[in-house]
Amino acid sequence: MTTALKDIIRNPTVAELELVARYAALKADPRRERLFEAFAQTGLPGRRIEGWRWSDFKAGVTSLEASKGPQAADPLARDDTVTLRFTPAGYTPPQSLPPGLRLLAKDDVQAMGGAEDAPLGALAAALSPGTLLADVSAGAPVQLHMVFSGPGAINAARIVFLVRPGAELRLSESHLGGAALSAALLEFTLQKGARLGRVVYQSAGAAEAQAVTALVEQEEGAESTQTVLAMGGKLARIETRLVHQGTGSRATLNAAYLAGSGRHADITTHVRHGATACITRQSTKGAVLDGGRGVFQGKFLVPRTSGQQTDASMQHNALLLEEGAEVFAKPELEIHADDVQCAHGNTSGALDAGQLFYLRQRGIPLVQARAMLTEAFIAEALEHAGVLEEALRAQASGWLAHAP
């Protein structure tokens, strides 16, 4: 690493110095250097950067000592689905692959578009030992499950998916923590008429930080559906940056977050309607306890010419279950076209006292009544998870059953 690159991070923290040392120990590569430089322009992002002011990784990630907490269980594991595992020690290949899926692990670093807009995604790409390329061809839907877990100090992984015309990928991901800092970058190119169904479960310990970054490019007629359940961590951010590149592209981006005491959950999305007649639907629900923090940041960008006939809606609704709970929300529409249908909404508040009274009058204990109402509230955000909806709702029910 050049001296100039070392000096880009101003007043580096102990954790940032450890990241620099980790980078310097890797095989030199010009593309890796460009990726780390994109990260180094900000360092660990914090409150001085508008999009990170409520998720301050610079202040929160003070050192990178190996986490000692117990690892969370994997609720999305299924016997009938091929599983890929990513740990600090590297990628563990499966014994067999489903028809229509090819994997190629490359030791050399691949270029990344828009690295400056996703600093922790750039960090994941720079520190990952290599890049896993996944090619999905047409035929029967390809089902794949990926697990990202520790233990260790840093867990960095990068996976690039190419979904061929007319092909379908059903992907589930479990981000289970275990490392002090986990950074995963997933890149998807959906070619003409391709389909993606993505389900994400995130859970980290009170001393662990996680960043999951997805970059999605959709061509003509492509369709994606994403469902996220985030349980938070010391810091946890699920970021999706999606671009509609072809006419008639469709995207559904749904998420739910449940943040208990000492947990932070951030759902951030950025959608660019770069082609005509594209559709985006987004619904995010959250519930937060005393000492917890939920963050939602969503933006739709509609350019003047290419964004005509856009149809997009964004909703964020949160429950503050106790005094001391925090929710920060920033829904945005940036519209330059004039032939569009775009809407956004945002609400936050407590459980309905009348509904609680109704359930209590029928002999339901207060804790159970609160759990029932909260689960019903977030259920809408999980209904597109397909066969995994039950598993996600079971995790939510378990959390709610122990909420005071």
Side-chain angles (χ1 to χ4, degrees):
M1 180 170 55
T2 65
T3 302
L5 185 53
K6 286 183 180 180
D7 295 337
I8 290 178
I9 303 178
R10 297 181 179 179
N11 301 318
T13 64
V14 171
E16 288 170 333
L17 290 174
E18 293 181 36
L19 291 172
V20 170
R22 175 64 65 95
Y23 165 79
L26 295 171
K27 180 181 178 181
D29 185 296
R31 285 170 292 192
R32 189 188 302 278
E33 182 169 340
R34 285 193 290 272
L35 289 167
F36 194 81
E37 182 177 4
F39 161 75
Q41 294 292 341
T42 62
L44 288 170
R47 60 183 180 179
R48 296 192 178 205
I49 303 173
E50 175 62 25
W52 297 82
R53 58 176 172 162
W54 297 314
S55 297
D56 193 342
F57 274 72
K58 192 175 188 73
V61 182
T62 54
S63 65
L64 296 176
E65 297 180 3
S67 176
K68 299 179 181 178
Q71 185 175 314
D74 182 4
L76 303 187
R78 297 174 60 196
D79 293 336
D80 60 346
T81 303
V82 172
T83 299
L84 308 183
R85 298 187 181 278
F86 300 84
T87 69
Y91 152 68
T92 303
Q95 294 182 347
S96 62
L97 293 177
L101 175 64
R102 292 189 301 153
L103 296 179
L104 177 61
K106 297 183 69 69
D107 294 333
D108 57 332
V109 182
Q110 307 296 304
M112 172 188 171
E116 295 77 10
D117 297 324
L120 293 186
L123 177 68
L127 296 187
S128 177
T131 303
L132 182 62
L133 306 179
D135 189 315
V136 182
S137 58
V142 172
Q143 298 190 38
L144 184 63
H145 179 52
M146 299 193 301
V147 181
F148 302 81
S149 62
I154 304 171
N155 189 5
R158 183 185 188 186
I159 308 95
V160 178
F161 288 93
L162 175 61
V163 187
R164 301 284 183 175
E168 181 176 356
L169 171 64
R170 299 174 183 172
L171 179 68
S172 56
E173 304 164 33
S174 295
H175 298 266
L176 305 178
L181 174 62
S182 302
L185 173 65
L186 297 96
E187 299 166 77
F188 301 90
T189 298
L190 307 186
Q191 295 187 335
K192 184 176 180 180
R195 302 183 66 185
L196 169 66
R198 182 181 182 224
V199 178
V200 180
Y201 174 76
Q202 176 276 321
S203 179
E208 299 169 356
Q210 284 186 329
V212 182
T213 305
L215 308 179
V216 186
E217 296 182 352
Q218 299 190 190
E219 298 181 5
E220 180 182 352
E223 182 174 353
S224 65
T225 300
Q226 177 174 290
T227 303
V228 176
L229 176 59
M231 312 300 288
K234 181 179 184 180
L235 287 166
R237 178 170 170 124
I238 314 295
E239 180 171 357
T240 305
R241 307 184 71 86
L242 185 147
V243 180
H244 292 289
Q245 292 186 323
T247 301
S249 172
R250 301 172 62 97
T252 300
L253 301 173
N254 290 347
Y257 59 85
L258 301 171
S261 178
R263 297 298 196 274
H264 174 114
D266 178 339
I267 304 294
T268 293
T269 62
H270 185 286
V271 180
R272 178 183 175 87
H273 283 259
T276 58
C278 293
I279 300 173
T280 301
R281 295 287 181 266
Q282 182 170 15
S283 175
T284 302
K285 304 274 190 175
V288 184
L289 297 175
D290 180 19
R293 172 179 286 190
V295 176
F296 170 76
Q297 298 179 108
K299 182 173 183 177
F300 291 162
L301 173 61
V302 185
R304 182 179 302 278
T305 302
S306 58
Q308 300 293 346
Q309 300 176 37
T310 285
D311 183 356
S313 65
M314 175 196 307
Q315 292 291 326
H316 169 255
N317 311 102
L319 287 176
L320 289 82
L321 298 176
E322 298 175 323
E323 293 289 337
E326 293 184 324
V327 172
F328 298 92
K330 186 183 180 184
E332 294 182 90
L333 301 178
E334 184 177 337
I335 302 172
H336 301 277
D338 53 12
D339 182 11
V340 300
Q341 296 184 60
C342 293
H344 70 308
N346 176 59
T347 65
S348 60
L351 287 171
D352 186 279
Q355 293 176 343
L356 272 177
F357 178 77
Y358 177 87
L359 294 176
R360 293 299 309 281
Q361 286 293 94
R362 279 146 184 81
I364 298 175
L366 177 60
V367 171
Q368 184 179 350
R370 285 160 54 92
M372 290 172 62
L373 293 176
T374 306
E375 184 177 355
F377 175 79
I378 68 167
E380 180 185 356
L382 305 178
E383 63 185 10
H384 290 289
V387 296
L388 296 175
E389 179 183 356
E390 184 177 344
L392 294 180
R393 293 191 64 163
Q395 290 299 303
S397 297
W399 182 87
L400 293 166
H402 295 89

